[in-house]
Amino acid sequence: MAKELKDLTKRSENYSQWYNELVVKADLAEQSAVRGCMVIKPYGYAIWEKMQQQLDKMFKETGHVNAYFPLLIPKSFLSKEADHVEGFAKECAVVTHYRLKNDPEGRGVVVDPDARLEEELIIRPTSETIIWNTYRNWIKSYRDLPILCNQWANVFRWEMRTRMFLRTAEFLWQEGHTAHATKEEAMEEAVRMLNVYADFAERYMAVPVVKGVKSANERFAGALETYTIEAMMQDGKALQSGTSHFLGQNFAKAFDVKFINKNNELEYVWATSWGVSTRLMGALIMTHSDDNGLVLPPHLAPIQVVIVPIYKSMDQLDEISRRVAPIVEKFRNMGVSVKYDNADNKRPGFKFADYELKGVPVRLALGARDLENGTIEVMRRDTLEKETMPIEGIEERVQQLLEEMQTNIYKKALALRESKTTTADSYDEFKEKIEQGGFILAHWDGTTETEERVKEETKATIRCIPLDGDKTPGKCMVTGRPSAQRVIFARNY
Amino acid sequence: MAKELKDLTKRSENYSQWYNELVVKADLAEQSAVRGCMVIKPYGYAIWEKMQQQLDKMFKETGHVNAYFPLLIPKSFLSKEADHVEGFAKECAVVTHYRLKNDPEGRGVVVDPDARLEEELIIRPTSETIIWNTYRNWIKSYRDLPILCNQWANVFRWEMRTRMFLRTAEFLWQEGHTAHATKEEAMEEAVRMLNVYADFAERYMAVPVVKGVKSANERFAGALETYTIEAMMQDGKALQSGTSHFLGQNFAKAFDVKFINKNNELEYVWATSWGVSTRLMGALIMTHSDDNGLVLPPHLAPIQVVIVPIYKSMDQLDEISRRVAPIVEKFRNMGVSVKYDNADNKRPGFKFADYELKGVPVRLALGARDLENGTIEVMRRDTLEKETMPIEGIEERVQQLLEEMQTNIYKKALALRESKTTTADSYDEFKEKIEQGGFILAHWDGTTETEERVKEETKATIRCIPLDGDKTPGKCMVTGRPSAQRVIFARNY
């Protein structure tokens, strides 16, 4: 296995292969027996759990509650919102029967043809339809609003080309679905949740993101406006990392959800929905990791500090273990997640390589000489720098180091993004620059036609119209028609 | 709505209807548009979340980690373990197609006949098969063991008769799946998790349970031994509340999972699985609640204390709010979940009834006269007793009261169970007593034949062979043949 660890493809050789290998070698996930579905392994799931806990806390702090809606959706529901069906109906898992029976010819079990459903059921690709069908009974008056529900769930989209975490048939996510009495309030909510996502990405994942609005072409099926956070991976490609939708009254109209407003008039309810998924795991991995394996932000690392004893005899190990015990206890009391790896069947070198591969932020190594000298070796995963420090007070120094690393990897990712963000003023310039990857800020005339032409000719799409960007108007790089502001073009995952 | 609250059917009139109404009126859950599937509403989900958090903590403390396996299982997997397919294949949701298309006749969307799967996929009714198919690649040597994985997931069983929380087509649960090098270790694990479940039920849910072993007839499909915790509802019926299975080498053999043991021999791996589900919500509701609504154990109540101001003017409300603010803060610092309900559009009487219905353990009411007198009114939900107390130090007294209530409702449930637990020494006596409900301890000859005869003639089944019960041997009440110990018979949910 130690050899395997070294076999990781380098990013410069084949970025895509590096990613696929890393996901498997770092024990994050693996392909399952079901096409396009992955198994999320304990180490990968532990990272996802930390993400969930933090996000859930942020949702609750902004007034949201959790609920749970059915996995299966009647087929007819999907057709009720015209754009939605176009976007989602095509790639669904369809349940048609409710029973199996023993094969009359004795070969296992077969579908019982007598158990055909009258109406087929679809495994939810997203839950707007079933939720708005439910909200109809919850909402009578403005006093019942707002409804601020979130759901943690699995969803299913029959994707043809899948990649672990980035695009899988089944994935885990949260989907917020809110109902409001006014358009303004719904729009505010959509922006609020965009900000929550951006805040989470930057402060916890250490992933810098651009907040923006999607072009009509890239909008969620059924939304009037889709907000997005876009991150840049190390290869310069964009990864859409979270979206928040202002749905207007589309779903309220499709499911006849009306309320009596303060003026005693009957009105359709205003809606938002917003979600992030296990795709964030892909963003996390691809933003920070290197040719030695994962690099995890300390705020989300399941193990923040590992302590490895270096010993030649069991007596030495005992002595080291005695010295380590109070350090472990102190870390725990400080809320630092620590592991003391005294496993006797693996050599220190193997352990070092394994924890590097798994992205444990800080590795402490303690040997007999350290005990004599009152020192300990500290290795930080982001820079791979090693330093020997006094063992006294090591806990506080490591805690400080974890925060420093959290900031450092964010800054490194931001610097990379800035170095790969350029402008293009002509379509020729654009075509040349897009081959280098990265974000290109360019003027666009606002039409789907132009956007699709660029996509066809260069494989780049408009990732977003930045909210905080330069608002200087100009001329479309393709058509020369007026443009309100530069937008971000990039190739993307 | 205040009127609706009072319309709750009494338990003595119709226990079953009381339960169904309570689930809806207390805002716990409701039927969805999909047959047999419920919507878990925010208040119900908040209780489930508290259960999850505590259980998850207990699983982690016993060395388990979480992971996630696919929702869909290839049909052929189900057939690989002979008993398992008999138990689970019959009632499955079957995915046969992966695409919809626009109806050529323009009526919405239809299943695309060209998108038929080569092999049908089943929505997991439980995950032993897909997990053991995965474990095959994880386990080579005894050094890879034990594997102690748990999964929080939704599962689907096509039930014909459904009741919210107690039996629904889709339900939420956790399923632990462990792999061990020895039979002894696996058996210990199965018992360990039974004890975790019993501990959780008694200390958090305040639901007394009997720990026992299932008869062959009631065993999990594929298990060699099924351990269970059985609770008694107020109507004297049993509710199976959690099970832990020793699976032997059945799934290892079905999926060819072998390992090199310490003696360098190739051996099949030993397995357990164990689960509890949203069914626990049913147990919680039916054990403690009364004709006024829910009674929640303080350890699982989303809101433990509600404070209601009684005022005649906004000035009075302001004065009360100022007095309440530090109380709320102190409760929060003590880790007590508190809500100050100063909503101006509902009268105190309505609020009182609503919080009673929702089972909030302690209600504090504070009026102008209380401010003058330095008092506060305290109502405890379990006994509905009201008492006026000094406001000074109220936080500590309430915290103590919460613990007292937790103990009290447990004792009350235990007393009920004891009063409804009897013995029967002849089948005639049994037939008479079973009509009164409750647990009947009787001797049984250990055969499936006798068990099925009793079930057919009296609708009672063997709930379990108690682990901690009286081990005195005797004679089967039906056949007179030897019996090792009394077992528990009851009618059940």
Side-chain angles (χ1 to χ4, degrees):
Chain A
M1 189 160 162
K3 187 172 172 301
E4 262 182 54
L5 304 190
K6 306 229 168 183
D7 283 347
L8 184 61
T9 296
K10 290 195 188 339
R11 287 165 295 172
S12 57
E13 284 168 20
N14 187 334
Y15 190 79
S16 170
Q17 192 175 319
W18 164 82
Y19 174 80
N20 294 342
E21 286 179 10
L22 181 53
V23 167
V24 173
K25 284 177 195 279
D27 264 347
L28 301 175
E30 65 182 40
Q31 295 294 354
S32 79
V34 183
R35 208 183 134 282
C37 296
M38 62 180 167
V39 171
I40 306 180
K41 298 183 78 174
Y43 192 60
Y45 200 84
I47 302 170
W48 174 240
E49 270 183 309
K50 292 208 100 178
M51 289 190 183
Q52 280 189 302
Q53 281 158 13
Q54 182 56 37
L55 283 165
D56 198 70
K57 190 162 170 270
M58 293 168 92
F59 298 156
K60 284 176 176 154
E61 282 167 0
T62 44
H64 302 87
V65 290
N66 289 328
Y68 189 76
F69 298 87
L71 171 70
L72 299 179
I73 298 179
K75 190 190 67 180
S76 59
F77 280 25
L78 285 186
S79 324
K80 291 200 179 183
E81 210 289 325
D83 291 329
H84 196 66
V85 67
E86 281 303 311
F88 286 104
K90 302 301 159 60
E91 46 183 27
C92 286
V94 188
V95 176
T96 57
H97 292 73
Y98 58 85
R99 203 190 305 135
L100 297 173
K101 62 172 191 176
N102 289 323
D103 183 355
E105 290 167 33
R107 279 171 298 192
V109 282
V110 293
V111 175
D112 183 344
D114 293 339
R116 194 180 165 87
L117 289 169
E118 271 184 48
E119 180 180 2
E120 295 87 356
L121 297 168
I122 310 304
I123 300 182
R124 59 181 164 220
T126 179
S127 301
E128 278 77 6
T129 57
I130 187 104
I131 289 178
W132 279 85
N133 186 66
T134 307
Y135 282 177
R136 186 175 54 249
N137 301 318
W138 293 9
I139 301 168
K140 302 291 165 211
S141 134
Y142 69 93
R143 282 183 221 92
D144 301 320
L145 296 171
I147 292 177
L148 304 172
C149 279
N150 176 60
Q151 158 169 285
W152 289 96
N154 51 346
V155 285
F156 206 97
R157 299 174 187 177
W158 210 282
E159 302 282 354
M160 283 303 138
R161 287 187 197 176
T162 61
R163 292 189 69 188
M164 282 190 285
F165 292 119
L166 297 175
R167 178 168 274 113
T168 49
E170 184 190 12
F171 56 93
L172 304 183
W173 79 345
Q174 60 68 219
E175 43 181 327
H177 294 273
T178 68
H180 305 267
T182 66
K183 179 178 176 177
E184 293 66 35
E185 200 185 295
M187 289 177 73
E188 272 167 30
E189 167 77 4
V191 173
R192 179 180 304 117
M193 299 322 290
L194 178 78
N195 287 327
V196 165
Y197 288 157
D199 192 32
F200 173 75
E202 303 203 329
R203 288 203 295 137
Y204 292 87
M205 297 173 62
V207 172
V209 293
V210 176
K211 293 187 276 189
V213 175
K214 285 288 186 189
S215 61
N217 217 29
E218 299 278 331
R219 224 176 255 156
F220 176 77
L224 297 189
E225 201 78 278
T226 287
Y227 296 94
T228 180
I229 51 170
E230 298 283 327
M232 186 195 287
M233 303 297 100
Q234 290 177 65
D235 61 351
K237 282 168 84 172
L239 184 74
Q240 176 181 307
S241 303
T243 49
S244 180
H245 316 291
F246 167 61
L247 303 172
Q249 295 170 310
N250 286 352
F251 286 92
K253 285 177 180 164
F255 289 90
D256 196 29
V257 189
K258 292 179 195 159
F259 72 107
I260 306 280
N261 68 20
K262 285 190 179 174
N263 304 322
N264 212 26
E265 300 153 345
L266 206 56
E267 195 182 342
Y268 285 111
V269 177
W270 298 87
T272 82
S273 68
W274 30 273
V276 293
S277 72
T278 34
R279 185 167 229 228
L280 288 179
M281 292 285 293
L284 192 75
I285 298 161
M286 285 207 295
T287 300
H288 304 301
S289 302
D290 63 25
D291 293 346
N292 296 309
L294 275 185
V295 173
L296 291 177
H299 291 179
L300 294 176
I303 304 167
Q304 296 175 304
V305 179
V306 65
I307 307 176
V308 178
I310 318 286
Y311 57 94
K312 289 188 183 132
S313 68
M314 291 317 275
D315 281 352
Q316 274 188 1
L317 176 60
D318 285 348
E319 208 182 331
I320 294 169
S321 297
R322 275 195 300 278
R323 185 66 192 85
V324 166
I327 298 176
V328 166
E329 200 191 328
K330 186 151 182 204
F331 273 131
R332 294 215 168 115
N333 291 338
M334 292 162 85
V336 173
S337 147
V338 60
K339 176 177 173 178
Y340 175 46
D341 186 353
N342 60 352
D344 195 33
N345 57 354
K346 290 169 195 155
R347 296 179 159 277
F350 175 90
K351 292 178 185 175
F352 289 1
D354 193 35
Y355 292 115
E356 257 174 56
L357 180 66
K358 291 199 168 138
V360 174
V362 172
R363 181 188 81 213
L364 302 177
L366 193 68
R369 197 177 305 166
D370 288 307
L371 285 184
E372 279 171 30
N373 299 342
T375 57
I376 192 162
E377 186 189 86
V378 181
M379 201 279 283
R380 56 186 283 181
R381 178 61 186 88
D382 58 342
T383 60
L384 296 171
E385 287 164 356
K386 274 193 279 198
E387 197 180 339
T388 297
M389 293 183 180
I391 198 164
E392 208 53 48
I394 191 64
E395 303 88 349
E396 287 79 6
R397 273 196 303 283
V398 166
Q399 193 175 40
Q400 205 181 327
L401 178 59
L402 289 169
E403 289 307 310
E404 197 181 311
M405 290 169 71
Q406 180 79 27
T407 307
N408 180 54
I409 63 172
Y410 174 79
K411 281 189 185 158
K412 198 171 154 191
L414 184 62
L416 181 97
R417 188 185 81 189
E418 282 171 357
S419 78
K420 292 196 185 219
T421 299
T422 56
T423 57
D425 291 318
S426 75
Y427 196 29
D428 281 342
E429 187 187 354
F430 179 86
K431 284 179 182 165
E432 209 185 294
K433 284 186 168 171
I434 198 70
E435 293 305 320
Q436 312 307 313
F439 288 177
I440 301 183
L441 286 156
H443 281 291
W444 162 63
D445 62 17
T447 68
T448 297
E449 202 184 356
T450 301
E451 186 178 2
E452 290 196 329
R453 181 177 156 195
V454 173
K455 184 175 179 180
E456 203 167 292
E457 293 175 353
T458 69
K459 291 181 195 152
T461 53
I462 297 176
R463 299 321 304 151
C464 71
I465 304 155
L467 289 180
D468 305 324
D470 178 1
K471 305 284 182 192
T472 317
K475 286 183 178 171
C476 173
M477 66 167 175
V478 181
T479 63
R481 283 186 289 203
S483 153
Q485 69 170 95
R486 287 179 191 267
V487 302
I488 294 179
F489 284 91
R491 289 176 181 161
N492 71 295
Y493 281 95
Chain B
M1 190 160 162
K3 188 173 170 302
E4 264 181 54
L5 304 189
K6 305 228 165 182
D7 285 346
L8 185 62
T9 296
K10 291 196 186 339
R11 287 164 295 172
S12 56
E13 285 168 19
N14 186 334
Y15 190 80
S16 171
Q17 193 176 318
W18 165 81
Y19 174 79
N20 294 341
E21 286 179 9
L22 181 54
V23 167
V24 172
K25 285 178 196 279
D27 263 347
L28 300 176
E30 66 182 40
Q31 296 293 355
S32 79
V34 184
R35 210 183 132 283
C37 296
M38 64 180 164
V39 171
I40 306 179
K41 297 183 76 173
Y43 192 60
Y45 200 86
I47 302 170
W48 175 241
E49 270 183 308
K50 290 207 100 177
M51 290 191 182
Q52 280 188 303
Q53 281 158 12
Q54 183 55 38
L55 283 166
D56 198 71
K57 190 162 170 270
M58 293 168 91
F59 298 156
K60 283 175 178 157
E61 282 167 2
T62 43
H64 301 87
V65 290
N66 289 327
Y68 189 77
F69 297 87
L71 171 70
L72 299 179
I73 298 179
K75 190 190 65 180
S76 59
F77 280 25
L78 284 186
S79 325
K80 292 200 177 182
E81 209 289 324
D83 292 328
H84 195 67
V85 67
E86 280 304 310
F88 286 103
K90 302 300 158 63
E91 46 182 27
C92 286
V94 188
V95 176
T96 56
H97 291 75
Y98 57 84
R99 202 189 308 134
L100 298 173
K101 63 172 190 175
N102 290 323
D103 182 356
E105 289 166 34
R107 280 171 299 191
V109 283
V110 293
V111 175
D112 183 343
D114 293 340
R116 196 182 164 87
L117 289 168
E118 271 184 50
E119 181 180 1
E120 294 88 355
L121 297 168
I122 310 303
I123 300 182
R124 60 182 164 220
T126 179
S127 302
E128 278 78 6
T129 57
I130 187 103
I131 288 179
W132 279 86
N133 186 66
T134 307
Y135 281 178
R136 185 174 55 247
N137 301 318
W138 293 9
I139 302 168
K140 302 291 167 211
S141 133
Y142 69 90
R143 282 184 220 92
D144 301 319
L145 296 170
I147 291 177
L148 304 170
C149 279
N150 175 60
Q151 158 168 285
W152 289 96
N154 52 345
V155 286
F156 206 98
R157 298 173 188 177
W158 209 282
E159 302 283 353
M160 281 305 140
R161 286 186 198 177
T162 61
R163 292 189 70 189
M164 283 189 283
F165 293 121
L166 296 174
R167 180 167 273 111
T168 49
E170 184 189 12
F171 56 93
L172 304 183
W173 79 346
Q174 60 67 218
E175 45 182 326
H177 295 272
T178 68
H180 305 268
T182 66
K183 179 178 177 179
E184 292 67 34
E185 199 185 294
M187 288 177 75
E188 272 168 31
E189 166 77 3
V191 173
R192 179 180 304 118
M193 299 323 288
L194 179 78
N195 286 327
V196 165
Y197 288 157
D199 191 32
F200 174 75
E202 304 203 328
R203 288 203 295 136
Y204 292 87
M205 296 174 63
V207 172
V209 292
V210 176
K211 293 186 275 189
V213 175
K214 286 287 184 190
S215 62
N217 217 28
E218 299 278 331
R219 223 175 254 156
F220 175 78
L224 297 189
E225 200 79 278
T226 287
Y227 297 94
T228 180
I229 51 170
E230 298 282 327
M232 187 195 287
M233 303 298 101
Q234 290 177 64
D235 62 350
K237 283 168 82 173
L239 184 75
Q240 176 181 307
S241 303
T243 49
S244 179
H245 316 290
F246 168 60
L247 302 172
Q249 295 172 310
N250 285 353
F251 286 92
K253 284 177 181 165
F255 289 91
D256 196 31
V257 188
K258 293 179 195 158
F259 72 106
I260 306 281
N261 67 21
K262 285 188 178 175
N263 304 323
N264 213 26
E265 299 153 345
L266 207 55
E267 194 184 341
Y268 286 110
V269 178
W270 299 86
T272 81
S273 67
W274 30 275
V276 293
S277 72
T278 35
R279 185 167 227 228
L280 288 179
M281 291 286 294
L284 191 75
I285 298 162
M286 285 207 295
T287 300
H288 305 300
S289 302
D290 63 25
D291 294 345
N292 296 309
L294 275 185
V295 173
L296 291 177
H299 291 179
L300 294 176
I303 304 168
Q304 296 174 303
V305 179
V306 65
I307 307 176
V308 178
I310 318 285
Y311 57 94
K312 288 186 183 134
S313 68
M314 292 315 278
D315 281 354
Q316 275 188 2
L317 176 60
D318 285 350
E319 209 182 331
I320 294 168
S321 298
R322 274 195 301 276
R323 185 67 191 85
V324 166
I327 298 176
V328 167
E329 201 192 328
K330 187 152 181 203
F331 273 132
R332 293 215 169 115
N333 291 339
M334 291 162 88
V336 173
S337 146
V338 60
K339 177 178 172 178
Y340 175 47
D341 185 354
N342 60 351
D344 194 33
N345 57 353
K346 290 169 195 154
R347 296 180 159 278
F350 176 91
K351 291 179 187 175
F352 289 3
D354 193 37
Y355 292 116
E356 258 174 58
L357 180 67
K358 291 200 169 141
V360 174
V362 173
R363 182 189 80 213
L364 302 177
L366 193 67
R369 200 177 305 167
D370 288 308
L371 286 184
E372 278 170 30
N373 300 341
T375 58
I376 192 162
E377 187 189 84
V378 181
M379 202 280 283
R380 55 185 283 181
R381 178 63 186 86
D382 57 343
T383 60
L384 295 172
E385 287 164 354
K386 271 193 280 197
E387 198 181 338
T388 297
M389 294 183 177
I391 200 163
E392 207 53 48
I394 190 64
E395 302 87 351
E396 287 79 6
R397 274 195 303 283
V398 166
Q399 193 175 40
Q400 206 180 326
L401 178 59
L402 290 170
E403 287 309 310
E404 199 182 312
M405 291 170 70
Q406 180 80 25
T407 307
N408 181 54
I409 63 172
Y410 174 79
K411 282 189 183 157
K412 199 172 153 190
L414 185 62
L416 182 98
R417 188 185 81 190
E418 282 171 356
S419 77
K420 294 197 185 217
T421 299
T422 56
T423 58
D425 290 320
S426 75
Y427 195 28
D428 282 341
E429 187 188 355
F430 180 85
K431 283 179 183 165
E432 209 184 293
K433 284 186 168 171
I434 198 70
E435 294 305 320
Q436 312 308 313
F439 288 178
I440 302 183
L441 286 156
H443 282 292
W444 162 63
D445 63 15
T447 69
T448 297
E449 204 183 355
T450 301
E451 186 178 1
E452 290 196 330
R453 181 177 156 197
V454 173
K455 184 176 180 179
E456 205 167 288
E457 293 175 355
T458 70
K459 292 181 194 152
T461 53
I462 297 176
R463 299 322 303 151
C464 71
I465 304 155
L467 288 179
D468 304 325
D470 178 2
K471 304 285 181 192
T472 317
K475 285 183 179 170
C476 174
M477 65 167 175
V478 181
T479 63
R481 284 187 288 203
S483 152
Q485 70 170 93
R486 288 181 191 265
V487 303
I488 295 180
F489 284 91
R491 289 177 182 161
N492 70 295
Y493 281 95

